[in-house]
Amino acid sequence: MAAAQGQRSDGAGEMESTEGKVAESAPLPFRAAVEALRGARLRPEIEIDPTRPPQRLAPHAYALEAAVVEEDEDLADGRLVLLHDPAGHDAWKGTFRLVTLVRAELEAEMAADPLLPEVCWSWLTGALQGRGLACGEPSGTVTRASSHYFGGLSERAPASQIEIRASWTPREGIDGVPDTAAHLAAWCDLLSQVAGLPPANQGQGQGDGSVVSLPQRRGPQSQ
């Protein structure tokens, strides 16, 4: 992944590139929402790039992939997709929808916690609320997976992974455009928390002692 560390999530030439391409004929609200994503400033541990969006989910789509990297080690990764249907969507109850995937490896003790799925879901809703964002029709799943190795792979230690899949409808402004930059920032808050990083404002006298992150650990391995 080409880094855009701690800076803007944009890149020159994205309009013409295969990944991150937005047609000039796309509706103005969608183009404005994408530009806000590109202009967002993120914490330095976040590396983010445009990626090919899924097809057929909506007339217009834009996707970003991100990783939390510290000392050249991936602690968590994920994808955020912005969907737009100018005609509206009954299930969304709006014209925009955000869809996300976040995943990270877990320590064995954390993976065994029966309340982990509920806690992870509360991190998502808490990240949105912490940015003062209103959203509608939230839905999603939290999945724990464990891998045990045998035969030629038996020397590998068992591994566990958490995966959060979710979607929600962002509230649109009077111009019909949601604050996608703030939603991206909230999503990065979730990604950082799953990665085990402290809140970005910790050490500035603004940290929230009630926020609990996963212990830092080695990140997801390439498949």
Side-chain angles (χ1 to χ4, degrees), residues 29-52:
F30 178 69
R31 285 187 283 150
V34 170
E35 286 305 314
L37 288 175
R38 290 172 170 169
R41 292 192 174 274
L42 312 174
R43 62 187 294 174
E45 298 90 349
I46 302 289
E47 297 185 358
I48 193 164
D49 272 316
T51 188
R52 186 176 181 84

Side-chain angles (χ1 to χ4, degrees), residues 4-135:
Q5 289 193 50
Q7 300 180 15
R8 296 165 63 90
S9 58
D10 64 341
E14 284 182 9
M15 282 288 188
E16 292 75 33
S17 64
T18 300
E19 296 179 351
K21 182 179 179 180
V22 177
E24 295 294 340
S25 59
L28 182 58
F30 178 69
R31 285 187 283 150
V34 170
E35 286 305 314
L37 288 175
R38 290 172 170 169
R41 292 192 174 274
L42 312 174
R43 62 187 294 174
E45 298 90 349
I46 302 289
E47 297 185 358
I48 193 164
D49 272 316
T51 188
R52 186 176 181 84
Q55 305 298 307
R56 302 187 182 92
L57 291 182
H60 306 280
Y62 184 81
L64 295 168
E65 61 181 6
V68 180
V69 180
E70 199 168 56
E71 297 180 355
D72 296 325
E73 196 171 289
D74 283 10
L75 302 178
D77 60 31
R79 175 177 291 196
L80 183 69
V81 181
L82 175 68
L83 304 176
H84 179 55
D85 186 342
H89 196 292
D90 290 342
W92 301 353
K93 291 184 169 54
T95 63
F96 284 90
R97 188 76 171 171
L98 284 161
V99 182
T100 184
L101 163 67
V102 170
R103 60 188 179 184
E105 287 195 359
L106 298 173
E107 292 184 341
E109 313 85 75
M110 182 65 73
D113 187 343
L115 296 179
L116 182 64
E118 289 79 4
V119 170
C120 287
W121 183 256
S122 74
W123 289 345
L124 170 61
T125 58
L128 293 169
Q129 293 168 3
R131 295 278 177 175
L133 297 170
C135 63

Side-chain angles (χ1 to χ4, degrees), residues 149-165:
Y149 302 95
F150 301 93
L153 301 176
S154 60
E155 292 184 359
R156 292 189 183 181
S160 297
Q161 187 180 74
I162 192 75
E163 181 180 274
I164 304 171
R165 293 180 180 268

